[in-house]
Amino acid sequence: MSKEILLELKNVRTWFQVEAGTLKAVNGVSLAIQRGETLGLVGESGCGKSTLGRTILRLYRPNGGEVLYKSKNIWNYSKSEVKRFRKEVQMIFQDPYASLDPLNVVHDVLEEGMRIHRLYPDKARREARILALLNMVGLNEDHEYRFPHEFSGGQRQRVGIARALSVEPELIVCDEPISALDVSIQAQVVNLLKDLQKKLGISYLFITHDLSMVKYISDRIAVMYLGGIVELAESRELFDRTLHPYTQALMSAIPIADPDVEQRRRRILLSGDVPSPVDLADGCAFCQRCRHAQERCRRERPALREVRPGHFAACHLAEEVSHDL
Ligand code: SF4
Protein backbone atom coordinates (compact mmCIF):
# COMPACT_ATOMS: atom_id res chain seq x y z
CA MET A 1 0.00 0.00 0.00
CA SER A 2 1.46 3.39 -0.94
CA LYS A 3 2.01 5.83 1.91
CA GLU A 4 0.44 9.24 2.18
CA ILE A 5 2.61 12.01 0.77
CA LEU A 6 2.84 14.88 3.23
CA LEU A 7 5.10 17.22 1.29
CA GLU A 8 6.05 17.23 -2.35
CA LEU A 9 8.48 19.31 -4.38
CA LYS A 10 7.93 19.47 -8.11
CA ASN A 11 10.84 20.77 -10.18
CA VAL A 12 11.63 23.45 -7.57
CA ARG A 13 14.14 26.15 -8.48
CA THR A 14 15.38 28.65 -5.91
CA TRP A 15 17.78 31.02 -7.62
CA PHE A 16 19.41 34.22 -6.40
CA GLN A 17 20.77 37.10 -8.42
CA VAL A 18 24.34 37.85 -7.31
CA GLU A 19 26.98 40.15 -8.77
CA ALA A 20 28.55 37.37 -10.83
CA GLY A 21 25.25 36.14 -12.30
CA THR A 22 22.50 33.71 -11.26
CA LEU A 23 23.23 31.48 -8.27
CA LYS A 24 21.20 28.33 -8.81
CA ALA A 25 21.12 27.12 -5.19
CA VAL A 26 18.23 24.72 -5.85
CA ASN A 27 17.98 23.80 -9.49
CA GLY A 28 15.04 21.61 -10.44
CA VAL A 29 14.46 19.42 -7.38
CA SER A 30 11.56 16.94 -7.23
CA LEU A 31 11.09 15.02 -3.98
CA ALA A 32 8.34 13.69 -1.75
CA ILE A 33 8.26 13.17 2.02
CA GLN A 34 5.81 10.54 3.23
CA ARG A 35 3.89 10.74 6.47
CA GLY A 36 5.92 9.27 9.34
CA GLU A 37 9.17 8.82 7.39
CA THR A 38 12.60 10.36 7.73
CA LEU A 39 14.12 11.57 4.51
CA GLY A 40 17.84 12.26 4.85
CA LEU A 41 19.22 15.02 2.63
CA VAL A 42 22.99 14.77 2.30
CA GLY A 43 25.56 16.91 0.57
CA GLU A 44 28.70 19.00 1.01
CA SER A 45 28.37 22.52 2.32
CA GLY A 46 27.20 24.90 -0.40
CA CYS A 47 25.28 22.20 -2.32
CA GLY A 48 21.96 23.95 -1.67
CA LYS A 49 20.53 21.63 0.98
CA SER A 50 19.87 24.36 3.55
CA THR A 51 18.31 26.58 0.86
CA LEU A 52 16.09 23.64 -0.02
CA GLY A 53 15.10 23.30 3.66
CA ARG A 54 14.25 26.98 3.83
CA THR A 55 12.28 26.77 0.58
CA ILE A 56 10.21 23.97 2.14
CA LEU A 57 9.65 26.11 5.24
CA ARG A 58 8.26 28.93 3.06
CA LEU A 59 11.18 31.19 3.99
CA TYR A 60 12.32 31.45 0.34
CA ARG A 61 9.86 31.72 -2.50
CA PRO A 62 11.00 29.50 -5.36
CA ASN A 63 11.48 31.01 -8.82
CA GLY A 64 9.86 28.00 -10.40
CA GLY A 65 8.17 24.72 -9.61
CA GLU A 66 5.84 23.94 -6.73
CA VAL A 67 6.05 23.07 -3.04
CA LEU A 68 2.92 21.14 -2.08
CA TYR A 69 2.04 20.47 1.56
CA LYS A 70 -0.98 18.20 2.00
CA SER A 71 -1.48 18.47 -1.77
CA LYS A 72 -1.75 22.28 -1.86
CA ASN A 73 0.86 24.76 -3.14
CA ILE A 74 2.14 26.57 -0.04
CA TRP A 75 2.28 29.84 -1.96
CA ASN A 76 -1.45 29.68 -2.72
CA TYR A 77 -2.40 29.50 0.95
CA SER A 78 -4.90 31.80 2.62
CA LYS A 79 -3.78 33.65 5.76
CA SER A 80 -5.25 30.98 8.04
CA GLU A 81 -3.61 28.20 6.00
CA VAL A 82 -0.23 29.93 6.35
CA LYS A 83 -0.76 30.01 10.10
CA ARG A 84 -1.64 26.32 10.17
CA PHE A 85 1.43 25.55 8.02
CA ARG A 86 3.65 27.51 10.44
CA LYS A 87 2.35 25.32 13.26
CA GLU A 88 2.52 21.98 11.48
CA VAL A 89 5.95 22.41 9.85
CA GLN A 90 8.71 23.18 12.33
CA MET A 91 12.48 23.48 12.24
CA ILE A 92 15.35 22.34 14.45
CA PHE A 93 18.50 24.37 13.94
CA GLN A 94 22.18 23.47 13.80
CA ASP A 95 23.09 25.84 16.60
CA PRO A 96 20.42 25.69 19.29
CA TYR A 97 22.20 28.41 21.27
CA ALA A 98 21.84 30.95 18.48
CA SER A 99 18.18 30.03 18.00
CA LEU A 100 17.19 30.42 21.68
CA ASP A 101 16.60 33.87 23.16
CA PRO A 102 19.25 34.17 25.92
CA LEU A 103 16.82 36.17 28.06
CA ASN A 104 14.04 33.58 28.02
CA VAL A 105 13.89 30.67 30.47
CA VAL A 106 12.89 27.29 29.02
CA HIS A 107 9.34 27.64 30.34
CA ASP A 108 8.83 30.78 28.23
CA VAL A 109 10.49 29.22 25.19
CA LEU A 110 8.06 26.30 25.30
CA GLU A 111 5.04 28.44 26.09
CA GLU A 112 5.52 30.93 23.24
CA GLY A 113 4.39 28.67 20.37
CA MET A 114 1.41 27.43 22.37
CA ARG A 115 0.28 31.00 22.94
CA ILE A 116 0.71 31.98 19.28
CA HIS A 117 -1.27 28.98 18.07
CA ARG A 118 -3.80 29.07 20.96
CA LEU A 119 -2.96 25.57 22.17
CA TYR A 120 -3.66 24.66 25.76
CA PRO A 121 -5.31 28.01 26.67
CA ASP A 122 -6.02 26.72 30.17
CA LYS A 123 -3.03 27.67 32.35
CA ALA A 124 -2.94 24.47 34.42
CA ARG A 125 -3.09 22.29 31.30
CA ARG A 126 -0.40 24.42 29.64
CA GLU A 127 1.88 23.99 32.66
CA ALA A 128 1.31 20.23 32.57
CA ARG A 129 2.08 20.21 28.86
CA ILE A 130 5.38 22.04 29.43
CA LEU A 131 6.46 19.42 31.97
CA ALA A 132 5.38 16.64 29.63
CA LEU A 133 7.45 18.19 26.83
CA LEU A 134 10.52 18.40 29.09
CA ASN A 135 10.10 14.73 30.02
CA MET A 136 9.62 13.76 26.38
CA VAL A 137 13.08 15.13 25.50
CA GLY A 138 14.85 13.75 28.59
CA LEU A 139 14.77 16.93 30.73
CA ASN A 140 12.69 17.56 33.87
CA GLU A 141 11.11 20.23 36.05
CA ASP A 142 14.52 21.27 37.43
CA HIS A 143 15.30 22.63 33.95
CA GLU A 144 12.08 24.60 33.51
CA TYR A 145 13.26 27.97 34.81
CA ARG A 146 16.84 27.86 33.55
CA PHE A 147 18.31 30.11 30.87
CA PRO A 148 19.90 28.72 27.67
CA HIS A 149 23.47 29.48 28.87
CA GLU A 150 22.94 27.14 31.84
CA PHE A 151 22.67 24.09 29.57
CA SER A 152 25.21 21.94 27.74
CA GLY A 153 25.09 21.81 23.93
CA GLY A 154 23.18 18.52 23.96
CA GLN A 155 20.65 19.81 26.50
CA ARG A 156 20.14 22.98 24.46
CA GLN A 157 19.38 20.84 21.42
CA ARG A 158 16.84 18.96 23.56
CA VAL A 159 15.22 22.32 24.40
CA GLY A 160 15.18 23.12 20.66
CA ILE A 161 13.44 19.80 19.98
CA ALA A 162 10.92 20.42 22.79
CA ARG A 163 10.20 23.86 21.34
CA ALA A 164 9.50 22.32 17.92
CA LEU A 165 7.24 19.69 19.54
CA SER A 166 5.36 22.26 21.62
CA VAL A 167 3.05 23.13 18.70
CA GLU A 168 2.36 19.50 17.72
CA PRO A 169 4.07 19.51 14.31
CA GLU A 170 3.61 16.96 11.55
CA LEU A 171 6.90 17.64 9.75
CA ILE A 172 10.18 18.85 11.24
CA VAL A 173 13.02 20.13 9.06
CA CYS A 174 16.18 19.26 11.00
CA ASP A 175 19.02 21.38 9.59
CA GLU A 176 22.35 19.84 10.65
CA PRO A 177 20.90 19.27 14.15
CA ILE A 178 23.86 17.30 15.48
CA SER A 179 26.89 18.68 13.67
CA ALA A 180 27.69 21.20 16.44
CA LEU A 181 27.55 18.49 19.14
CA ASP A 182 30.24 16.15 20.52
CA VAL A 183 30.24 12.75 18.82
CA SER A 184 29.14 11.05 22.07
CA ILE A 185 26.09 13.33 22.28
CA GLN A 186 25.18 13.07 18.57
CA ALA A 187 23.94 9.47 18.91
CA GLN A 188 21.79 10.42 21.93
CA VAL A 189 20.05 13.20 20.01
CA VAL A 190 19.52 10.97 16.97
CA ASN A 191 18.05 8.23 19.19
CA LEU A 192 15.78 10.78 20.84
CA LEU A 193 14.50 11.95 17.44
CA LYS A 194 13.87 8.33 16.41
CA ASP A 195 11.97 7.58 19.64
CA LEU A 196 9.83 10.69 19.26
CA GLN A 197 9.00 9.70 15.70
CA LYS A 198 7.85 6.27 16.84
CA LYS A 199 5.64 7.79 19.54
CA LEU A 200 4.26 10.76 17.64
CA GLY A 201 4.41 9.72 13.98
CA ILE A 202 6.23 12.90 12.92
CA SER A 203 8.00 13.14 9.56
CA TYR A 204 11.54 14.49 9.38
CA LEU A 205 13.65 16.02 6.67
CA PHE A 206 17.10 15.42 8.15
CA ILE A 207 19.66 17.68 6.48
CA THR A 208 23.32 16.83 7.02
CA HIS A 209 26.75 16.59 5.42
CA ASP A 210 27.44 13.35 7.33
CA LEU A 211 26.42 10.32 5.29
CA SER A 212 27.34 7.85 8.04
CA MET A 213 25.04 9.46 10.64
CA VAL A 214 22.10 9.87 8.28
CA LYS A 215 22.13 6.12 7.62
CA TYR A 216 20.87 5.42 11.15
CA ILE A 217 17.98 7.81 11.15
CA SER A 218 16.73 7.84 7.55
CA ASP A 219 14.22 5.60 5.83
CA ARG A 220 15.31 7.07 2.51
CA ILE A 221 18.28 9.23 1.57
CA ALA A 222 18.57 11.91 -1.11
CA VAL A 223 22.08 12.97 -2.13
CA MET A 224 22.42 16.54 -3.34
CA TYR A 225 25.15 18.05 -5.50
CA LEU A 226 25.24 21.61 -6.83
CA GLY A 227 21.55 22.30 -6.46
CA GLY A 228 20.23 18.98 -7.79
CA ILE A 229 19.38 15.55 -6.37
CA VAL A 230 21.84 13.06 -7.87
CA GLU A 231 20.67 9.91 -6.07
CA LEU A 232 17.64 8.85 -4.03
CA ALA A 233 16.88 5.46 -2.50
CA GLU A 234 15.94 3.63 0.64
CA SER A 235 18.77 3.94 3.13
CA ARG A 236 19.86 0.29 2.99
CA GLU A 237 19.65 0.10 -0.79
CA LEU A 238 21.74 3.27 -1.15
CA PHE A 239 24.51 1.81 0.99
CA ASP A 240 24.33 -1.68 -0.56
CA ARG A 241 24.26 -0.62 -4.18
CA THR A 242 25.47 2.90 -4.74
CA LEU A 243 24.74 4.09 -8.25
CA HIS A 244 26.06 7.61 -8.63
CA PRO A 245 29.81 8.34 -8.85
CA TYR A 246 29.44 11.25 -6.41
CA THR A 247 27.70 9.11 -3.77
CA GLN A 248 30.35 6.44 -4.31
CA ALA A 249 33.04 9.01 -3.51
CA LEU A 250 31.17 10.14 -0.36
CA MET A 251 30.76 6.50 0.73
CA SER A 252 34.41 5.73 0.22
CA ALA A 253 35.37 8.55 2.62
CA ILE A 254 33.35 7.14 5.55
CA PRO A 255 35.82 5.71 8.10
CA ILE A 256 35.41 1.98 8.86
CA ALA A 257 36.11 0.82 12.42
CA ASP A 258 37.79 -2.47 11.34
CA PRO A 259 41.44 -1.57 10.50
CA ASP A 260 41.86 -4.57 8.12
CA VAL A 261 38.80 -3.62 6.08
CA GLU A 262 39.84 0.03 6.21
CA GLN A 263 43.28 -0.84 4.79
CA ARG A 264 41.92 -3.04 1.99
CA ARG A 265 39.22 -0.79 0.66
CA ARG A 266 39.56 1.65 -2.20
CA ARG A 267 39.16 5.37 -1.62
CA ILE A 268 37.74 7.43 -4.44
CA LEU A 269 39.37 10.81 -4.34
CA LEU A 270 37.43 13.60 -5.95
CA SER A 271 39.52 15.60 -8.36
CA GLY A 272 38.98 19.31 -8.93
CA ASP A 273 36.98 21.76 -6.86
CA VAL A 274 33.22 22.01 -6.51
CA PRO A 275 32.29 24.27 -9.44
CA SER A 276 30.55 27.56 -8.71
CA PRO A 277 26.76 27.29 -8.60
CA VAL A 278 26.70 30.64 -10.43
CA ASP A 279 25.77 30.28 -14.11
CA LEU A 280 26.23 26.52 -14.23
CA ALA A 281 27.30 25.09 -17.57
CA ASP A 282 25.09 22.65 -19.51
CA GLY A 283 25.60 18.98 -18.92
CA CYS A 284 26.14 16.99 -15.77
CA ALA A 285 26.97 19.22 -12.77
CA PHE A 286 29.42 16.57 -11.52
CA CYS A 287 31.25 16.34 -14.86
CA GLN A 288 34.42 18.21 -13.84
CA ARG A 289 35.10 15.85 -10.94
CA CYS A 290 33.81 12.57 -12.32
CA ARG A 291 36.33 9.91 -13.31
CA HIS A 292 33.77 8.32 -15.66
CA ALA A 293 32.84 11.53 -17.53
CA GLN A 294 32.31 11.22 -21.28
CA GLU A 295 31.49 13.65 -24.06
CA ARG A 296 27.74 13.10 -23.60
CA CYS A 297 28.04 14.10 -19.91
CA ARG A 298 29.40 17.51 -20.91
CA ARG A 299 26.54 18.14 -23.33
CA GLU A 300 23.46 16.72 -21.65
CA ARG A 301 22.24 17.15 -18.09
CA PRO A 302 21.21 13.71 -16.80
CA ALA A 303 17.67 13.46 -15.43
CA LEU A 304 16.97 11.75 -12.11
CA ARG A 305 15.61 8.39 -13.30
CA GLU A 306 14.58 5.11 -11.70
CA VAL A 307 17.49 2.77 -12.34
CA ARG A 308 16.38 0.02 -9.94
CA PRO A 309 12.97 -0.25 -8.26
CA GLY A 310 12.67 2.77 -5.95
CA HIS A 311 16.29 3.72 -6.58
CA PHE A 312 16.87 6.87 -8.62
CA ALA A 313 20.10 8.32 -10.00
CA ALA A 314 20.97 11.29 -12.19
CA CYS A 315 23.78 9.75 -14.22
CA HIS A 316 23.89 8.70 -17.87
CA LEU A 317 26.09 5.74 -16.95
CA ALA A 318 24.47 4.63 -13.68
CA GLU A 319 24.06 1.02 -14.85
CA GLU A 320 27.71 0.77 -15.85
CA VAL A 321 29.38 2.56 -12.95
CA SER A 322 27.28 1.12 -10.12
CA HIS A 323 29.00 -1.34 -7.83
CA ASP A 324 28.45 -3.03 -4.49
CA LEU A 325 30.37 -1.36 -1.68
FE1 SF4 B 1 29.83 11.16 -14.23
FE2 SF4 B 1 28.66 11.38 -16.62
FE3 SF4 B 1 27.39 10.20 -14.63
FE4 SF4 B 1 27.79 12.82 -14.59
S1 SF4 B 1 26.53 11.69 -16.07
S2 SF4 B 1 28.05 11.44 -12.90
S3 SF4 B 1 29.78 12.98 -15.52
S4 SF4 B 1 29.26 9.49 -15.62
Side-chain angles (χ1 to χ4, degrees):
M1 202 173 71
S2 65
K3 291 189 183 158
E4 181 194 346
I5 290 176
L6 192 59
L7 183 117
E8 190 172 7
L9 307 182
K10 288 187 177 172
N11 196 20
V12 168
R13 297 182 296 284
T14 309
W15 296 354
F16 302 97
Q17 289 308 319
V18 294
E19 220 176 301
T22 305
L23 190 156
K24 298 180 175 176
V26 176
N27 194 21
V29 167
S30 297
L31 271 183
I33 302 176
Q34 295 161 355
R35 187 179 284 284
E37 83 161 338
T38 297
L39 178 68
L41 181 64
V42 188
E44 294 166 287
S45 77
C47 73
K49 57 193 191 301
S50 289
T51 303
L52 184 61
R54 283 168 169 72
T55 305
I56 287 172
L57 285 157
R58 214 176 173 276
L59 299 175
Y60 293 142
R61 185 169 194 147
N63 309 67
E66 287 183 309
V67 182
L68 307 171
Y69 177 71
K70 295 187 175 174
S71 308
K72 186 165 179 183
N73 187 331
I74 61 174
W75 290 97
N76 292 340
Y77 277 172
S78 65
K79 228 172 161 186
S80 65
E81 285 171 325
V82 170
K83 196 167 178 207
R84 191 197 66 184
F85 178 80
R86 296 240 174 277
K87 171 192 163 311
E88 292 184 5
V89 184
Q90 290 293 306
M91 185 167 189
I92 298 172
F93 298 88
Q94 175 178 0
D95 180 357
Y97 198 54
S99 69
L100 295 171
D101 184 338
L103 302 177
N104 271 351
V105 292
V106 169
H107 175 278
D108 298 345
V109 169
L110 300 187
E111 195 179 44
E112 188 186 9
M114 289 190 247
R115 279 191 194 282
I116 291 170
H117 295 288
R118 298 207 177 92
L119 296 169
Y120 302 91
D122 175 77
K123 192 165 187 290
R125 283 188 62 215
R126 199 164 62 236
E127 292 300 319
R129 170 74 179 158
I130 288 171
L131 287 181
L133 283 166
L134 288 171
N135 287 327
M136 250 189 250
V137 299
L139 300 172
N140 58 50
E141 65 265 30
D142 292 342
H143 300 108
E144 190 177 352
Y145 288 96
R146 292 196 198 167
F147 290 95
H149 74 267
E150 297 178 82
F151 291 101
S152 66
Q155 286 175 322
R156 275 199 291 267
Q157 196 52 290
R158 287 172 192 270
V159 174
I161 293 168
R163 176 177 57 184
L165 294 179
S166 69
V167 291
E168 300 170 350
E170 298 193 23
L171 170 66
I172 302 183
V173 175
C174 310
D175 190 3
E176 299 270 11
I178 53 169
S179 52
L181 303 175
D182 289 349
V183 176
S184 57
I185 310 292
Q186 289 183 347
Q188 291 176 15
V189 172
V190 166
N191 287 336
L192 172 64
L193 288 169
K194 282 176 85 164
D195 288 347
L196 291 168
Q197 183 172 52
K198 249 186 242 156
K199 275 186 213 142
L200 306 170
I202 314 165
S203 310
Y204 295 130
L205 176 68
F206 195 92
I207 300 173
T208 179
H209 65 278
D210 184 346
L211 193 53
S212 57
M213 185 52 80
V214 83
K215 180 181 181 182
Y216 295 105
I217 191 163
S218 305
D219 298 295
R220 292 184 303 142
I221 297 175
V223 180
M224 194 165 181
Y225 186 79
L226 269 188
I229 302 299
V230 295
E231 188 157 3
L232 170 69
E234 286 194 358
S235 184
R236 179 119 192 226
E237 161 81 11
L238 188 90
F239 275 78
D240 286 352
R241 188 173 285 270
T242 315
L243 296 178
H244 196 283
Y246 176 60
T247 319
Q248 288 171 1
L250 291 182
M251 293 277 186
S252 81
I254 297 175
I256 295 176
D258 184 332
D260 292 337
V261 180
E262 176 72 36
Q263 210 176 24
R264 278 199 312 274
R265 77 174 173 152
R266 197 167 45 105
R267 291 240 169 180
I268 303 169
L269 293 176
L270 288 175
S271 58
D273 295 326
V274 183
S276 163
V278 177
D279 290 333
L280 281 172
D282 294 339
C284 174
F286 190 55
C287 210
Q288 294 170 28
R289 304 172 83 193
C290 182
R291 64 205 170 104
H292 304 287
Q294 299 181 354
E295 188 44 40
R296 181 186 176 196
C297 308
R298 283 177 254 282
R299 280 196 324 266
E300 212 181 299
R301 187 180 177 194
L304 189 68
R305 63 192 170 89
E306 193 167 13
V307 179
R308 290 165 46 83
H311 191 157
F312 299 79
C315 172
H316 295 309
L317 307 177
E319 286 83 353
E320 288 103 285
V321 303
S322 68
H323 66 178
D324 296 342
L325 287 179

